[in-house]
Amino acid sequence: MTVERIVRIIAGFFIMLSLALAHASGSADLAQPSWLWFTAFVGFNLFQSGFTRFCPLDIVLKKAGVKQGCGL
C-alpha cells in the first residue's frame, strides 16, 4: 500500500469520525438534509478510494486532460 492510499484512508476516516462525533454531541443533525451529507460523501469517497483505487474525480480529471505527475 502506498503513502497516498494510506493518506486517503486516514483523511476519509477522520472526516467521517468528525461528522459522527458532531452528530453524537448534538452539534450536527445528520437526520436532516444539509450540506453535511456532502461532507460525508467526500469523506466516504476518500476512505473507499484508498482501498479500491476508484475515485470519480480522478476519472473526470483524466478525461479533462489533466496529466498525472509525481506531486512535486
Side-chain angles (χ1 to χ4, degrees), residues 4-5 14 16 20 23 27 35 41-42 47 49-50 55 57 59 62-63 66-68:
E4 179 189 63
R5 291 178 69 189
F14 277 113
M16 292 186 301
H23 181 68
S27 302
W35 286 103
F41 173 77
V42 171
F47 186 75
S49 72
C55 178
L57 181 58
I59 295 167
K62 286 176 185 174
K63 287 185 179 184
V66 177
K67 296 180 183 175
Q68 284 187 305

Side-chain angles (χ1 to χ4, degrees), residues 5-66:
R5 291 178 69 189
I6 293 170
V7 167
R8 285 183 180 203
I9 292 167
I10 292 172
F13 174 78
F14 277 113
I15 289 170
M16 292 186 301
L17 178 64
S18 68
L19 284 171
L21 291 172
H23 181 68
S25 72
S27 302
D29 186 9
L30 293 176
Q32 300 295 321
S34 70
W35 286 103
L36 292 177
W37 284 107
F38 180 71
T39 304
F41 173 77
V42 171
F44 177 75
N45 271 316
L46 272 170
F47 186 75
Q48 68 81 25
S49 72
F51 290 107
T52 65
R53 292 185 159 187
F54 173 75
C55 178
L57 181 58
D58 213 10
I59 295 167
V60 170
L61 291 174
K62 286 176 185 174
K63 287 185 179 184
V66 177

